Amino acid sequence: MGSVGLQGTSGRTSSSEIVNKSGEELKEMNGEKKSNKKSSYFRKFGCLKIEENSKKGNAAETTGEPANPTHLVIMVNGIIGSAQNWKFAAKQFLKKYPRDVVVHRSKVNSSTLTFDGVDVMGDRLAEEVISVKKRHPSVQKISFVGHSLGGLIARYAIARLYERDITKEISHENGNCKSDEYEDKDNCVQEKPRGKIAGLEPVNFITSATPHLGSRFHKQVPMLCGSYTLEKAAARMAWFLGRTGKHLFLTDVDDGKPPLLFQMASDSENLKFISALESFKRRVAYANASFDQIVGWSTSSLRRRNELPKRQHLSRHEKYPHIVNVKTTENTIPQHEISEAKAYDCKTFDMEEEMIRGLTKLSWERVDVNFSGSMQRLMAHNTIQVKGSLINSDGADVVQHMVDVFLL
């Protein structure tokens, strides 16, 4: 399990302890240090340097000299996943932007910890981001890349880390916009001060096969074959995945409060979920148009089912053969109309529709992917991420597209 951008530190032995050790013990210690040193530091090739903590098996990848990256990229794994799942993608980012980015593969939510619930995992991720930021004082910008459940975890974490940029708001109100000497007043008015995430400038928020609308609604889990009976049975079995299962199937109704994913489709008094998303310069949703048996096309691309492109109209990209459609949609509701959640009534609310409305108040870049013809198509959910460099290698062009259009 790896952490990109963080270095592991081994414990030190005090001088008094060393004096008390026998000659044989000192030889053993020296031998261990030499072996650890050899295995911990590899020769640089190009601008990429890989360091490894041999005790914990945590790899850290960072830029070559001078190591003053300005852009922090946080990668978040999905359910029962680990930081290792992002190893391939992290290397591609570092090859493309060796001196500009530091890539951190989150390691606080792995394996069975992914059953703890989106909120608990989001809190852990937020704390981890703050810790990583302190280790890299040169960073000024931040981006997130989340696969599957990782996209939801990232959405919760950025709400925790969101800060309104009061300084820019004040300068915007008292600046040259109000001056008669300022000629281009219209453009000045349209420029809205953006907030910050963990004190950094938010740039890219990217999700890959993420169930933004949950897994409860019709045809959102393809393996259930669109059967209402199976979908209801799956919702009743959500406890099998712990609190996370309840969140995904929107069965977490406590004290009359709406399900967490429903809450995350709007701003609340304490957590500004939509404002946090809005602060990013771009939001991107990569979605499998077919063969993903876990997350449906509609929920991962943030569309109503009748808005999905007709498959016969999809065409393969010349450079990225598994990408069949790229489209950017503008926000459907003016920014000033983004408001807090309405009163929740489970009997009258169409939760799926309300969630789509809330999340599509912002503009999204939608990238549709199709692994038709690939021998790895039945593993599309993991192939889109290149979770394994061998069994999911066909998704390399999708990852490369993500890297090539990344905004520094």
Side-chain angles (χ1 to χ4, degrees), residues 70-139:
T70 58
H71 200 141
L72 175 60
V73 182
I74 303 294
M75 293 184 160
V76 193
N77 59 268
I79 198 163
I80 321 179
S82 70
Q84 184 70 14
N85 303 156
W86 279 116
K87 184 177 180 179
F88 175 82
K91 287 184 176 180
Q92 307 318 304
F93 269 96
L94 291 169
K95 286 179 181 178
K96 180 79 173 182
Y97 312 109
R99 296 180 180 273
D100 299 302
V101 304
V102 54
V103 184
H104 176 75
R105 290 179 281 154
S106 174
K107 59 181 181 179
V108 295
N109 297 306
S110 62
S111 189
T112 55
L113 290 177
T114 57
F115 296 159
D116 291 346
V118 174
D119 51 353
V120 173
M121 291 185 287
D123 286 337
R124 285 199 289 248
L125 177 60
E127 293 176 3
E128 184 181 26
V129 169
I130 293 172
S131 176
V132 175
K133 176 195 169 186
K134 290 178 180 178
R135 292 173 181 265
H136 299 279
S138 64
V139 297

Side-chain angles (χ1 to χ4, degrees), residues 46 97 156 161 169 244 273 310 320 371 399:
Y97 312 109
Y156 191 94
L161 297 168
E169 289 183 7
T244 298
F273 294 108
K310 301 297 181 182
Y320 314 100
F371 290 105
V399 172

Side-chain angles (χ1 to χ4, degrees), residues 221-253:
V221 182
M223 70 170 64
L224 300 178
C225 306
S227 168
Y228 286 102
T229 302
L230 291 177
E231 288 170 353
K232 290 180 180 178
R236 289 194 293 268
M237 294 290 290
W239 57 268
F240 183 74
L241 298 176
R243 293 184 71 248
T244 298
K246 291 183 177 181
H247 288 159
L248 288 174
F249 284 90
L250 285 81
T251 59
D252 56 315
V253 182

Side-chain angles (χ1 to χ4, degrees), residues 10-18 21 29 33:
S10 59
R12 296 181 178 177
T13 307
S14 66
S15 59
S16 60
E17 290 176 323
I18 294 177
K21 291 184 178 290
M29 285 179 57
K33 287 182 179 179

Side-chain angles (χ1 to χ4, degrees), residues 69-73 100 102 138-143 197 199-204 281 407-408:
T70 58
H71 200 141
L72 175 60
V73 182
D100 299 302
V102 54
S138 64
V139 297
Q140 302 170 6
K141 303 176 182 180
I142 189 168
S143 292
I197 302 295
L200 303 174
E201 178 187 351
V203 185
N204 306 272
K281 290 184 177 180
L407 187 63
L408 278 178

Side-chain angles (χ1 to χ4, degrees), residues 141-208:
K141 303 176 182 180
I142 189 168
S143 292
F144 287 80
V145 184
H147 174 251
S148 192
L149 177 65
L152 295 176
I153 298 171
R155 277 176 49 199
Y156 191 94
I158 63 172
R160 283 290 187 199
L161 297 168
Y162 174 71
E163 307 164 2
R164 288 178 57 189
D165 194 343
I166 301 176
T167 304
K168 284 189 176 181
E169 289 183 7
I170 293 175
S171 62
H172 179 75
E173 292 176 1
N174 300 331
N176 294 330
C177 292
K178 291 186 176 182
S179 172
D180 293 334
E181 298 177 0
Y182 192 83
E183 297 179 359
D184 194 4
K185 290 185 179 181
D186 292 336
N187 289 335
C188 182
V189 171
Q190 292 175 2
E191 184 181 351
K192 183 178 180 180
R194 296 179 181 273
K196 291 190 174 183
I197 302 295
L200 303 174
E201 178 187 351
V203 185
N204 306 272
F205 189 88
I206 304 169
T207 63
S208 177

